[in-house]
Amino acid sequence: DLRMSRGLGDVYKRQGISMQLLIKQRIFSWTDTYDIYDEWNNPKYFVKAEFFSLTHQLHVYDNNDREIGIIHQKMFTFLPTFEIEVDGETRGIIKKKFSFFHPQYEIDYRGWHVEGDFLGWDYDVYDACSSVIHISKKLLTWGDTYVIDIADPEDEIDGLLLVLAIDAANCTQNE
């Protein structure tokens, strides 16, 4: 059973209202490429980065090769700033804040805010005071595998795009 993540996912599982996505990074790829599976290990989405681009850009596709979103880095900003687009419309912006020790983000996306350890892949997304998504890293796997526990299946695509944008901001800062 893939529902082995700790914390919020276990609470949602007991309540019977959650879903889970697993992000698996392809190990032998020239660009950021991810496969995304549901909790039963069925392929659901895939992510491909543009190879020849001045900025970091990720395209997210469903299994029918339909683009469901784009995450792209804005040019000429002091700290990494990413826009989330769906159907050609900007839905949100993630800006990395200046900090000395731990990454922090300013998020303008659905009124959500994020708290936790971003580099350690252990954080939560909140809508007001309620946690709606929990992100964790699955240990002891071949390649990096991340688990996204989502309280409401309606938040699936928005939650996935936000997690990918935060990861892109972390990766861009570390380059």
Side-chain angles (χ1 to χ4, degrees), residues 19-23 36-37 44 146-148 150 156 160:
M19 67 172 300
Q20 195 172 72
L21 294 175
L22 288 90
I23 301 175
I36 298 152
Y37 300 87
K44 193 146 189 188
Y146 307 101
V147 180
I148 306 173
I150 304 168
E156 174 181 1
L160 174 62

Side-chain angles (χ1 to χ4, degrees), residues 119-133:
L119 295 178
W121 278 82
D122 186 18
Y123 59 94
D124 292 284
V125 178
Y126 293 89
D127 186 3
C129 295
S130 299
S131 180
V132 293
I133 298 170

Side-chain angles (χ1 to χ4, degrees), residues 53-166:
S53 177
L54 294 175
T55 61
H56 204 108
Q57 292 194 50
L58 299 173
H59 296 266
V60 183
Y61 301 92
D62 66 14
N63 278 339
N64 297 317
D65 289 333
R66 186 179 72 88
E67 187 173 75
I68 61 166
I70 300 172
I71 295 142
H72 64 89
Q73 184 178 8
K74 292 181 75 171
M75 291 183 71
F76 310 116
T77 57
F78 179 67
L79 293 171
T81 300
F82 285 81
E83 291 183 332
I84 298 173
E85 282 186 23
V86 176
D87 295 326
E89 176 186 321
T90 300
R91 294 265 181 98
I93 296 174
I94 287 65
K95 296 179 184 178
K96 192 157 188 177
K97 292 180 176 180
F98 181 78
S99 67
F100 286 107
F101 302 109
H102 300 289
Q104 295 180 358
Y105 297 94
E106 180 181 322
I107 296 173
D108 181 10
Y109 189 59
R110 292 196 51 181
W112 289 348
H113 67 278
V114 182
E115 296 177 11
D117 180 5
F118 301 106
L119 295 178
W121 278 82
D122 186 18
Y123 59 94
D124 292 284
V125 178
Y126 293 89
D127 186 3
C129 295
S130 299
S131 180
V132 293
I133 298 170
H134 176 75
I135 297 86
S136 59
K137 186 170 186 173
K138 193 169 184 173
L139 301 174
L140 304 174
T141 59
W142 179 256
D144 289 334
T145 300
Y146 307 101
V147 180
I148 306 173
D149 291 304
I150 304 168
D152 183 349
E154 294 290 319
D155 294 331
E156 174 181 1
I157 292 173
D158 287 336
L160 174 62
L161 294 173
L162 177 62
V163 169
L164 292 169
I166 290 171

